[in-house]
Amino acid sequence: MTIEMELLSVMKESERIEWSRLSAISLSKIKHLKVPMGDIRQSLLPRDVLSAAKELLYHLDIYICNMVQSGRQPPQVDSKTVELVEEFILHTPKDRNTPGRRMSALQELQLLEIMCSCFQEQSRDTVRQLMFSALFSLQGNQADESRMALLGKLVSMAVAVGRIPILECAATWLQRSHRLYCIRLAQVLVDDYCSMVPGSVPTLQNIHSASPRFCCQFITAVTTLYDLTSEELTPPLELLQMIVSWIQDDPRLVLITFLNTPLSGNQPISSLDVTPLGGLVRWCVKAPLTYRGDKKQVLTNGSTDNEQETGPLFSALHLSVLQVLMLLPNILNEKGLFGRLALLQLESLAALTSDLSRLLDQADKHTHTSSSDTLLLSQLTLDRLAQALQVALANGALLCSREDLRAICSRLPHNNLLQLVLSGPVMYYNNIHTPPLAFSPHAAHSPIASHPTHPPHTPHTPLTTHPSSHPPYPGQPFITGMPFPFRPSH
Amino acid sequence: MSAQKDCEFLVRRARELVSDDPCAAKAWLITARTLYPADFNIQYEMYSIERNAERTASAGRLLYDMFINFPDQPTVWREISVITAALRGDSQDKHAQFLRGLFETLPGRVQCEMLLKATEQCFNTLEKAEMLLLLLKRFPESVVQHGVNLGETLLEAEVSENVETPVNCFRKLFVCDVLPLVINNMDMRLPASLMQKYMLKAAEFYIGYVTRGPSPDVQIQGSQEAGSLKSPNMSRGSQRYVIDGLSEKSSVVAEPWERLLDILTVVGARCEWQGDKGQRTYVDMLLRVKELCRYLPSLEGETRSRCCSQVVICAALVLFRSAFLYVSSVQPALFQAVNALSSGPWILVEDLSSVYNDLELERGAVKHAHKKRKLADGREKTMSSDDEEGLGKGRGRHIIVTKTEMPSWSETLESFRTARESWDLLHSHDGLETEFKKICASWKTDSWLWFRIFLTDMIIYQGQYRKALSSLHQMAAVLQPQPGQQSPSGQVSLEQHRALIQQASCHYALGEYRLACEKLLDVVGGLSPPNQEPSKTPEDQGRVKAKTRKGNDLRLLPCTSKAVLPFGLQLMLACFKLRAFTDNRDDLSLGHVVVLLQQDWPHGEMLFLKAMDKICQQGGLQYENFFNYVTNIDMLEEFAYLRTPEGGRIQLELLPNQGMLIKNPSPALGVELNTLLLQGVQAMDRHHTVTRGITKGVKEDFRLAMERYSGHRFNAAGLTS
């Protein structure tokens, strides 16, 4: 239900524009509209698998056009239609006794082609979205496996031949579907373009320009997929390079979904994050430890991924992430969300820090005499963590107090910068160059739009969906009078 | 535990990382800035990284932040002054270009503010002006507020800094940069008097620039060895010119006369000058103001004074430009901007190419001049009034030029004419003359050597020889050899004699032959031997022209030994010719004429025959220098013939001591001529001793002398009787 509601709000705009064209185009099809979708089944049964699927797509198109045109609120695909899709397109057995019909590989390819052109030719965004939803919205039944299989093939094909409408629909799908399924779709693309066919990465690279929305969702899915917990969950070098180059070229790319989403807060709980920032922070922070592990494996399995190659990439990526965070105050203020929406969740950061303390512990144990190299990499990890926390906090991406941060970082080893960040800046600023001023004396008259200093103080009324109501930075001075015990020893 | 220590720690970490991992360094600084946004060093470090990597856009943004947030930081000002210096300069190196690009990324408002503040902090007038000029060029709306002030500041600086010449850095900036902005700004209304003042400032600068002489240190460099290229002096080539305080590139003013005309056009339009629809050329301009001049008497009040200003300014500019063009072709070595090698100096003198002509042809002129001379002998003092009316038939005088030697002869003569016309126009009304004299006084044109040269040539052309002479006397004094002024060809020394030759020519024109010859002898002594083959072709051309004209044409004579020596001889011939052919017997003059006629023989054949006739008529000739100086075979034969019965047995006393008849070598001229001819002959390596055995028989001696001179040819001719 909620999906349809969402769609409706998204599509209203385009609908109005498309209305006149819609009536003209659909005129020839209107005579079919009298036939309810349920009655079509009889006409489909005698047909062979491919033509039955084609026929159903055809009717689906007419049906949805009609539905949109009639202005029924909300436009939603009924269960009968979904069943038809499952039976004639996804070929799920109707009941246990009758085995589902199967398509040959060639027929399947033909069907994919037809679907591609079907979406390509449909000019109305609303209709396309409803079609896509009718075909691929997860129903929580056994047909979902077939759905995912067909979706993976369709999106992979759309990437190959540059079918932008399908990528756009898939982007929406990635926003609405459960993250586990999103990860699976991302996995298909990574396998197809990064693992199976060498040299096909440039094709995938193009999605950046073809559909930035899809690209952004793809990055989110990929960073969720590869959480660097194991060697399998480490992104392939080509993928990493591609993502770094995307973000370097256009840091705002990672915010596209966020920028295009009308309101946040009513997102399905299990869906992907609205930005890949959390995943990217995790990548950058954990990378020094993970790839250090890889180094050992270079000797055993000859992997080419090593610190030498990935080090600069993650360093650049980390900088890009910080730069994106600095763009946030203006964007959040424009949306009236500053201090009310956390793009980085404290919970996931807590997970990251506990993960880190475990990893650092292990590293310590594995190398009994902790080499200087290991120490350096551990410190790099902690430096990046500290930087990400501080910059996120300062730019309103993370809504918590420094005390919260100290709590989640309590088990981490010592790092000067981290200590500085956790204790916060010294309030009595006695730099000889400038008069002692409170925070952000220049923010108010800062003329550059994306000036990354602190935003003006806004009334902090956290959204109801946001559980914590910590006074966000820079409201809180850190425990006045009581020095934090771990000031960095410069 | 202080904030400052935190900041130092953060910046230090960034610095440590920047070479190996610039991304990490930037991540540190971004973090640092969110911790301590008010710390300057963090932001400066961020800026430094971007600047050192020459990333224009990001460096520009950070500079902007610093400019806004830390307006009092000396470091920011140091940075801004480096950038503004790059803007003012013309360096093409990569970093300077980056700095200029960096400035361009800033919003216009900030650029404006930055330049203004940078200007305020600048104490050097020139730099300050350059900075303000950057502002004016970029933001035309600021011209209204700052334009005139800047101009006045520059003009004041000229005074306060005691600069000697109008071609100085302040004036250059004013004329070439500020003035066009000010006069072209339509939002400003300047009083006409101010516009005219500025116009004259511009004119003075451009004229001074064009007519600048070769700078002395350049000449010294030229004579130095080329070994010490490292020395600062040597970095400037011989053709380079630098206005003190400016770079070499900004010392160059392209097409100065055109720029001046541009300014004049704008000023004219804004001062609402008459009939001023865009001055195309200087010549057009002269025609227009000439026209305008005719209405001048009928005008009154302000219209009249405006019209007056227009005429005077336009005519004066045409005058100075044309005079410059004339002088640059007549005496190119005076100017650095003129290629001195193209053509040597030229001297405007009386044309004497008709000196060989038959007396009949020029009788009128000769008689006239002769009478003049006689008068002159008596009362030389009164000649000055006389020469204005008597010899001043200047209009329409013809100037003969050897066209092959001066390819640009027609332009040169045209410039001379235009300059004279402008001068006449400027002196056609009292009002105009007064205005013009004011300009001359403020520009100190009296001290412009080149202009004096023009003026002298002009009054010579007008026939005011007395005036010309006094001017030439002054110039000769100025042109005395000065240490360090030396050219390899020795041409400078010839040029120094230029004034003397002109004086001789003037004296001749005034009929003062004695003085004419004196001046000539001063010059000729220093000449190198003439080329053996006489330049026939040009002389022929000259003569063809001369035939059709009366004897008071002028000639532009190349200032070379090759041309000057024949001219000197011709001038002497012209002097003696008049004496020799009077009704009185003057054997010495007649003898000199014969000697001089050998130059360029047989051009003077007719004249020689006249002389022979005269000898026959008077029944003899006494000229004891004859064998020292007469070497021409045709002449010798002719004299030999006179002694024969067929020739009339003429009484010739041509050997020294032949008789006691030479009692009175009265005219001092004879002695001087002797010196002259002696030198000339010595130079030609035909020296013969004058001493002879005085005891021998005259007849025998004569015959022997003839034989010695002409060898066997005389025998063959049956000279001996």
Side-chain angles (χ1 to χ4, degrees):
Chain A
M1 289 307 146
T2 48
I3 294 174
E4 263 80 76
M5 291 287 280
E6 283 294 313
L7 281 175
L8 186 69
S9 66
V10 173
M11 290 161 191
K12 260 190 175 168
E13 276 306 304
S14 50
E15 221 171 309
R16 244 175 267 131
I17 302 159
E18 298 288 330
W19 201 251
S20 56
R21 277 170 68 195
L22 178 135
S23 51
I25 294 164
S26 311
L27 215 63
S28 61
K29 298 174 179 177
I30 282 174
K31 56 178 182 286
H32 299 283
L33 294 179
K34 303 286 186 248
V35 186
M37 280 303 274
D39 298 349
I40 292 168
R41 181 162 188 268
Q42 293 310 314
S43 66
L44 295 178
L45 279 172
R47 294 176 177 264
D48 68 283
V49 273
L50 184 59
S51 70
K54 270 167 76 174
E55 188 69 16
L56 179 56
L57 278 174
Y58 177 63
H59 281 286
L60 197 58
D61 188 43
I62 295 162
Y63 168 69
I64 289 168
C65 280
N66 178 44
M67 194 165 66
V68 169
Q69 202 168 12
S70 71
R72 212 168 76 211
Q73 296 294 335
Q76 65 179 91
V77 180
D78 59 24
S79 56
K80 280 260 192 306
T81 310
V82 172
E83 279 169 24
L84 283 174
V85 167
E86 288 175 356
E87 183 175 358
F88 291 100
I89 293 175
L90 303 171
H91 306 111
T92 324
K94 184 94 176 134
D95 50 64
R96 299 223 166 131
N97 307 328
T98 50
R101 297 200 283 182
R102 293 197 70 99
M103 276 180 144
S104 68
L106 186 62
Q107 282 175 322
E108 196 178 40
L109 184 62
Q110 284 173 317
L111 176 64
L112 289 170
E113 261 179 10
I114 291 162
M115 289 174 99
C116 271
S117 42
C118 178
F119 280 97
Q120 196 72 20
E121 281 157 23
Q122 177 53 258
S123 58
R124 280 160 299 173
D125 196 41
T126 322
V127 177
R128 279 199 305 259
Q129 294 287 2
L130 282 167
M131 281 272 282
F132 203 85
S133 176
L135 290 166
F136 299 115
S137 268
L138 297 167
Q139 302 296 322
N141 57 21
Q142 56 168 339
D144 282 355
E145 282 308 307
S146 317
R147 245 185 267 277
M148 284 308 295
L150 191 64
L151 175 65
K153 286 168 187 161
L154 182 68
V155 174
S156 187
M157 187 176 200
V159 169
V161 296
R163 295 300 185 198
I164 295 171
I166 290 177
L167 295 179
E168 288 290 310
C169 291
T172 308
W173 186 91
L174 283 166
Q175 263 180 279
R176 301 297 155 202
S177 305
H178 192 282
R179 62 173 67 193
L180 290 179
Y181 287 97
C182 296
I183 286 170
R184 282 179 61 185
L185 180 59
Q187 181 79 63
V188 168
L189 296 181
V190 173
D191 286 347
D192 283 359
Y193 288 95
C194 300
S195 311
M196 302 234 300
V197 188
S200 57
V201 171
T203 315
L204 188 57
Q205 182 106 34
N206 288 336
I207 64 171
H208 170 228
S209 48
S211 171
R213 275 183 68 221
F214 179 77
C215 188
C216 175
Q217 285 304 108
F218 175 71
I219 296 170
T220 311
V222 163
T223 53
T224 312
L225 165 64
Y226 296 106
D227 60 1
L228 307 194
T229 49
S230 66
E231 219 237 314
E232 299 79 54
L233 293 179
T234 303
L237 184 63
E238 294 86 353
L239 179 66
L240 178 64
Q241 285 168 333
M242 183 166 67
I243 287 174
V244 171
S245 79
W246 277 340
I247 299 177
Q248 268 186 327
D249 289 352
D250 177 14
R252 290 177 78 92
L253 178 67
V254 300
L255 299 176
I256 289 267
T257 306
F258 170 61
L259 290 169
N260 289 330
T261 306
L263 251 188
S264 58
N266 56 351
Q267 211 165 308
I269 294 297
S270 55
S271 67
L272 291 172
D273 286 352
V274 73
T275 69
L277 284 170
L280 291 172
V281 166
R282 182 167 54 199
W283 271 16
C284 297
V285 170
K286 284 176 80 174
L289 302 177
T290 310
Y291 284 85
R292 175 178 54 187
D294 267 6
K295 245 187 188 171
K296 285 179 223 145
Q297 282 162 16
V298 169
L299 303 171
T300 52
N301 65 9
S303 162
T304 53
D305 295 353
N306 58 37
E307 234 278 325
Q308 294 282 304
E309 265 176 288
T310 54
L313 284 174
F314 279 112
S315 190
L317 187 61
H318 178 62
L319 176 62
S320 297
V321 169
L322 298 187
Q323 283 166 338
V324 171
L325 289 174
M326 292 199 301
L327 298 174
L328 286 176
N330 282 308
I331 295 170
L332 289 168
N333 276 324
E334 269 169 33
K335 292 189 161 221
L337 289 173
F338 191 87
R340 303 168 71 201
L341 175 77
L343 286 177
L344 290 180
Q345 309 294 328
L346 188 63
E347 293 76 25
S348 59
L349 288 170
L352 175 62
T353 51
S354 71
D355 211 11
L356 279 184
S357 64
R358 188 177 45 79
L359 280 172
L360 290 166
D361 236 25
Q362 279 176 5
D364 233 21
K365 278 173 195 156
H366 277 252
T367 54
H368 288 286
T369 51
S370 60
S371 66
S372 65
D373 204 30
T374 313
L375 251 177
L376 276 178
L377 291 171
S378 306
Q379 288 299 310
L380 180 58
T381 286
L382 294 170
D383 284 345
R384 282 189 189 159
L385 176 70
Q387 288 163 0
L389 291 178
Q390 167 60 28
V391 176
L393 194 63
N395 290 292
L398 180 59
L399 303 176
C400 67
S401 66
R402 290 196 192 266
E403 205 164 349
D404 295 332
L405 293 185
R406 284 196 292 276
I408 64 169
C409 296
S410 58
R411 297 187 53 218
L412 293 174
H414 174 81
N415 172 276
N416 279 340
L417 183 61
L418 188 59
Q419 297 307 334
L420 208 161
V421 168
L422 295 181
S423 50
V426 175
M427 292 305 291
Y428 296 103
Y429 190 82
N430 55 354
N431 193 309
I432 47 159
H433 300 302
T434 43
L437 291 171
F439 279 100
S440 177
H442 308 294
H445 60 248
S446 178
I448 287 181
S450 58
H451 191 282
T453 50
H454 308 278
H457 297 247
T458 44
H460 306 119
T461 46
L463 295 179
T464 42
T465 52
H466 185 61
S468 71
S469 56
H470 300 292
Y473 179 86
Q476 89 297 357
F478 163 66
I479 319 173
T480 10
M482 192 188 108
F484 187 67
F486 304 110
R487 286 300 298 183
S489 49
H490 325 306
Chain B
M1 249 276 267
S2 67
Q4 200 180 337
K5 276 193 176 155
D6 283 355
C7 292
E8 282 166 7
F9 162 70
L10 295 164
V11 169
R12 194 176 64 240
R13 283 292 289 145
R15 279 201 192 135
E16 285 163 9
L17 285 164
V18 74
S19 55
D20 286 342
D21 188 353
C23 287
K26 285 196 241 178
W28 271 86
L29 290 170
I30 287 173
T31 311
R33 189 160 77 163
T34 61
L35 281 164
Y36 291 103
D39 185 80
F40 172 72
N41 290 328
I42 293 170
Q43 299 202 29
Y44 181 71
E45 197 64 26
M46 290 175 108
Y47 167 75
S48 302
I49 291 177
E50 300 303 311
R51 182 203 53 200
N52 295 343
E54 297 196 344
R55 269 187 293 267
T56 318
S58 40
R61 162 168 296 186
L62 289 162
L63 178 67
Y64 176 85
D65 283 1
M66 290 195 299
F67 180 73
I68 298 295
N69 294 331
F70 306 98
D72 301 322
Q73 281 288 338
T75 320
V76 174
W77 285 104
R78 218 163 27 243
E79 206 56 40
I80 289 171
S81 71
V82 168
I83 293 166
T84 48
L87 288 171
R88 282 184 282 122
D90 42 36
S91 163
Q92 288 307 305
D93 78 43
K94 197 163 148 280
H95 191 65
Q97 283 180 339
F98 159 73
L99 290 174
R100 286 195 282 269
L102 177 64
F103 187 76
E104 295 306 331
T105 64
L106 301 171
R109 189 177 51 80
V110 174
Q111 291 182 340
C112 186
E113 219 174 302
M114 213 177 251
L115 287 173
L116 262 180
K117 283 199 176 180
T119 307
E120 282 165 21
Q121 302 216 341
C122 196
F123 294 105
N124 175 317
T125 311
L126 186 63
E127 277 181 23
K128 194 167 186 156
E130 284 177 333
M131 207 94 84
L132 205 51
L133 194 59
L134 285 176
L135 181 76
L136 301 193
K137 279 184 179 163
R138 278 162 188 278
F139 306 100
E141 65 276 7
S142 64
V143 172
V144 180
Q145 196 189 341
H146 301 287
V148 174
N149 284 344
L150 175 57
E152 290 295 328
T153 309
L154 286 168
L155 294 179
E156 280 163 23
E158 268 191 342
V159 179
S160 61
E161 309 252 329
N162 271 327
V163 288
E164 288 163 355
T165 156
V167 188
N168 60 60
C169 54
F170 305 110
R171 185 75 72 92
K172 198 261 171 185
L173 228 56
F174 173 75
V175 171
C176 298
D177 300 304
V178 180
L179 190 56
L181 290 174
V182 168
I183 59 175
N184 284 308
N185 192 307
M186 290 303 149
D187 296 332
M188 295 171 73
R189 285 231 154 264
L190 297 183
S193 60
L194 194 64
M195 293 275 244
Q196 283 170 17
K197 172 187 155 192
Y198 288 170
M199 172 75 237
L200 291 175
K201 290 285 181 191
E204 187 188 14
F205 169 78
Y206 281 121
I207 294 170
Y209 179 81
V210 172
T211 61
R212 69 194 188 274
S215 54
D217 62 329
V218 167
Q219 291 202 344
I220 291 163
Q221 280 166 29
S223 63
Q224 275 175 353
E225 284 302 303
S228 56
L229 277 169
K230 290 257 160 63
S231 82
N233 270 351
M234 290 306 290
S235 62
R236 286 193 257 146
S238 58
Q239 287 302 305
R240 288 172 185 176
Y241 177 70
V242 175
I243 297 174
D244 203 19
L246 296 181
S247 73
E248 189 179 316
K249 193 180 159 200
S250 52
S251 296
V252 175
V253 178
E255 307 205 323
W257 292 116
E258 298 310 306
R259 295 290 81 74
L260 182 56
L261 193 60
D262 292 345
I263 292 177
L264 187 72
T265 307
V266 178
V267 168
R270 304 211 66 182
C271 289
E272 290 165 3
W273 281 355
Q274 290 297 309
D276 198 78
K277 299 283 174 282
Q279 321 273 13
R280 283 287 133 240
T281 66
Y282 284 90
V283 176
D284 287 350
M285 198 158 74
L286 181 63
L287 292 176
R288 186 166 298 125
V289 293
K290 259 187 181 171
E291 193 81 354
L292 200 58
C293 239
R294 289 202 266 149
Y295 303 105
L296 200 57
S298 63
L299 299 175
E300 284 179 347
E302 203 182 311
T303 323
R304 185 190 162 93
S305 66
R306 188 166 65 218
C307 186
C308 239
S309 305
Q310 178 182 357
V311 173
V312 170
I313 291 176
C314 294
L317 296 192
V318 177
L319 166 67
F320 288 119
R321 178 173 174 271
S322 307
F324 162 75
L325 291 178
Y326 170 72
V327 178
S328 70
S329 132
V330 165
Q331 213 163 341
L334 281 178
F335 309 110
Q336 189 186 18
V338 177
N339 185 4
L341 297 174
S342 59
S343 138
W346 299 74
I347 322 166
L348 188 69
V349 292
E350 298 297 303
D351 177 51
L352 295 173
S353 53
S354 61
V355 72
Y356 299 117
N357 283 7
D358 195 341
L359 281 175
E360 300 299 329
L361 271 173
E362 48 180 318
R363 181 129 297 164
V366 169
K367 276 194 170 157
H368 177 81
H370 189 199
K371 277 180 188 159
K372 275 257 170 287
R373 184 190 65 81
K374 282 196 152 177
L375 275 170
D377 284 345
R379 39 183 188 114
E380 229 170 346
K381 290 273 160 33
T382 60
M383 275 302 288
S384 57
S385 65
D386 191 298
D387 65 29
E388 252 104 61
E389 33 154 299
L391 300 174
K393 36 194 166 179
R395 308 297 137 100
R397 287 179 88 177
H398 192 77
I399 299 172
I400 296 158
V401 184
T402 305
K403 293 168 189 173
T404 48
E405 284 175 319
M406 187 193 263
S408 61
W409 63 276
S410 73
E411 290 92 332
T412 305
L413 295 185
E414 185 60 32
S415 302
F416 191 45
R417 193 180 60 77
T418 310
R420 288 188 328 259
E421 281 177 17
S422 316
W423 176 270
D424 292 345
L425 186 67
L426 287 165
H427 293 78
S428 61
H429 286 270
D430 284 348
L432 300 179
E433 197 173 338
T434 317
E435 285 286 307
F436 176 63
K437 279 187 172 150
K438 272 190 218 162
I439 294 176
C440 290
S442 75
W443 290 356
K444 301 192 184 75
T445 56
D446 288 349
S447 63
W448 296 357
L449 178 65
W450 67 271
F451 191 57
R452 180 175 282 272
I453 287 171
F454 158 75
L455 286 179
T456 309
D457 283 7
M458 181 179 75
I459 52 184
I460 286 173
Y461 181 90
Q462 289 170 345
Q464 305 185 48
Y465 294 107
R466 192 62 62 198
K467 268 191 187 173
L469 276 171
S470 76
S471 176
L472 284 166
H473 275 301
Q474 291 175 23
M475 269 205 287
V478 173
L479 282 174
Q480 281 310 303
Q482 287 155 4
Q485 217 175 21
Q486 198 60 47
S487 95
S489 61
Q491 235 181 19
V492 169
S493 64
L494 243 182
E495 250 181 89
Q496 285 155 2
H497 291 311
R498 194 182 175 277
L500 287 173
I501 295 165
Q502 242 176 2
Q503 286 176 34
S505 171
C506 287
H507 283 303
Y508 169 76
L510 287 169
E512 299 165 354
Y513 304 120
R514 196 173 59 83
L515 287 168
C517 289
E518 275 174 10
K519 294 292 173 193
L520 264 187
L521 291 171
D522 284 350
V523 175
V524 173
L527 293 182
S528 49
N531 212 324
Q532 272 314 98
E533 61 258 60
S535 49
K536 295 247 158 125
T537 333
E539 294 298 327
D540 284 339
Q541 282 177 357
R543 185 169 304 104
V544 171
K545 270 221 150 68
K547 283 258 164 74
T548 64
R549 299 207 156 253
K550 294 291 178 190
N552 67 340
D553 285 342
L554 293 167
R555 159 179 296 273
L556 271 174
L557 184 74
C559 192
T560 59
S561 301
K562 185 180 152 190
V564 166
L565 189 60
F567 173 78
L569 296 174
Q570 283 173 8
L571 188 63
M572 294 201 185
L573 179 60
C575 293
F576 286 113
K577 187 170 86 172
L578 296 167
R579 261 185 114 96
F581 294 107
T582 48
D583 296 335
N584 305 331
R585 176 166 171 168
D586 186 343
D587 280 13
L588 192 59
S589 294
L590 197 56
H592 287 344
V593 165
V594 170
V595 169
L596 287 165
L597 279 172
Q598 292 178 105
Q599 160 75 17
D600 215 10
W601 183 258
H603 284 153
E605 196 171 2
M606 290 299 288
L607 206 55
F608 175 70
L609 293 177
K610 278 270 166 216
M612 297 310 279
D613 281 351
K614 180 103 196 313
I615 293 167
C616 290
Q617 274 173 23
Q618 64 188 32
L621 176 72
Q622 180 197 1
Y623 187 60
E624 62 175 20
N625 283 323
F626 185 89
F627 282 111
N628 287 337
Y629 298 121
V630 179
T631 62
N632 182 290
I633 204 80
D634 296 335
M635 289 184 175
L636 290 172
E637 278 184 14
E638 206 58 36
F639 274 97
Y641 175 75
L642 285 187
R643 284 171 54 90
T644 62
E646 297 91 328
R649 290 189 186 279
I650 301 299
Q651 194 68 29
L652 296 175
E653 294 168 44
L654 303 178
L655 289 171
N657 311 322
Q658 187 174 358
M660 294 300 112
L661 287 169
I662 316 165
K663 298 159 197 156
N664 184 21
S666 62
L669 269 183
V671 180
E672 283 152 354
L673 182 64
N674 228 334
T675 323
L676 161 71
L677 293 182
L678 184 64
Q679 282 168 333
V681 170
Q682 273 171 342
M684 284 183 268
D685 200 20
R686 295 214 188 154
H687 178 245
H688 296 274
T689 45
V690 183
T691 48
R692 268 181 203 289
I694 49 168
T695 51
K696 291 201 173 175
V698 174
K699 278 185 190 175
E700 181 60 13
D701 209 16
F702 182 84
R703 194 187 62 82
L704 281 172
M706 283 296 201
E707 277 180 355
R708 193 168 301 126
Y709 267 79
S710 46
H712 303 297
R713 283 183 59 195
F714 274 88
N715 294 327
L719 192 65
T720 46
S721 52

